Amino acid sequence: MLEKDIKKVLISEEQIVARAKELGARITEDYKDRSPLMVALLRGSVPFLAELIKHIDLDIQYDFMDVTSYEGTESVGDIKILKDLDTSIRGLDILVVEDIVDTGRTLSAVVKTLYNKGANSVKIVTLLDKPSRRVKDIRADYIGFEVENEFVVGYGMDFNQKYRCLPYIGVLKDELYQ
Ligand code: IMP
């Protein structure tokens, strides 16, 4: 039903699962002495989190944050926390889970917030990276796929709250972006 709106599939479900396995193995190796608390940013990262944790062979826990970035000129780069973490993160190693790093504004503010809350370390795992759009100097530590400067939907990512449930990542037909 949503399929008819898709111009092209960029990354298939099989490719995402295969990449999540690779990233999960790397995370397992890197964190073998200290299981991280995974902090997933709502709502786009949920399908990726669900796939990724199947491939991490550690006693991990996860929690959620919902943040929105201010649009105002003066406070660009700041975020408003709509839903905060449920537990204290003092002294913990945090692995932030994101759907896509675009300008990097959200993540750079989230990382700052997590260190202010006393995190011992903060790393980032993202399904997609769109480096051409970056305005903040921030890099994810684990990247699923790099994409061109093109608006994508599916696997958690939306356009006006639609298309999050597509099992692959695609680009919408041009007329839908009008
Ligand atoms: P940033 O703060 O500009 O890096 O914004 C990151 C957030 O913008 C992501 O978590 C997404 O929710 C959203 N976003 C950025 N690019 C896209 C896209 O191509 N499709 C869907 N959402 C996007």
Side-chain angles (χ1 to χ4, degrees):
M1 176 208 169
L2 293 175
E3 194 105 29
K4 66 175 187 345
D5 295 347
I6 300 296
K7 180 166 80 177
K8 62 177 172 187
V9 175
L10 280 185
I11 305 166
S12 70
E13 185 173 14
E14 292 72 24
Q15 286 175 290
I16 296 169
V17 172
R19 189 71 182 129
K21 275 186 192 162
E22 291 172 4
L23 294 178
R26 275 178 51 203
I27 291 166
T28 303
E29 177 60 25
D30 292 353
Y31 283 91
K32 59 178 180 292
D33 306 318
R34 42 177 189 135
S35 289
L37 171 71
M38 306 195 53
V39 170
L41 302 185
L42 293 171
R43 296 169 223 172
S45 69
V46 170
F48 179 49
L49 172 76
E51 186 57 46
L52 184 62
I53 55 174
K54 293 184 211 166
H55 310 293
I56 300 177
D57 188 15
L58 297 169
D59 181 20
I60 50 149
Q61 302 198 5
Y62 55 82
D63 199 348
F64 298 94
M65 271 181 100
D66 193 3
V67 301
T68 176
S69 44
Y70 290 114
E71 295 293 313
T73 46
E74 274 167 67
S75 49
V76 160
D78 280 335
I79 46 164
K80 191 162 131 194
I81 298 177
L82 303 175
K83 186 224 165 283
D84 209 342
L85 296 169
D86 288 339
T87 49
S88 164
I89 58 163
R90 186 154 297 281
L92 297 185
D93 295 299
I94 305 293
L95 186 54
V96 180
V97 185
E98 180 60 306
D99 52 359
I100 180 165
V101 189
D102 188 33
T103 65
R105 284 194 181 109
T106 309
L107 270 178
S108 71
V110 165
V111 169
K112 206 163 65 178
T113 304
L114 294 172
Y115 275 119
N116 285 342
K117 286 173 179 284
N120 180 54
S121 70
V122 181
K123 286 193 173 187
I124 298 161
V125 54
T126 186
L127 174 57
L128 300 184
D129 188 19
K130 222 192 254 183
S132 58
R133 294 251 311 159
R134 200 75 92 254
V135 299
K136 288 278 177 182
D137 184 21
I138 189 152
R139 264 203 104 249
D141 301 276
Y142 306 93
I143 297 168
F145 304 90
E146 210 174 274
V147 290
E148 302 290 312
N149 183 12
E150 204 169 23
F151 196 85
V152 297
V153 296
Y155 219 83
M157 285 166 286
D158 73 306
F159 177 61
N160 293 338
Q161 299 303 327
K162 233 176 136 175
Y163 308 105
R164 287 192 197 277
C165 52
L166 286 173
Y168 51 81
I169 294 164
V171 179
L172 292 176
K173 289 180 179 161
D174 296 335
E175 61 266 28
L176 287 154
Y177 290 121
Q178 308 302 311

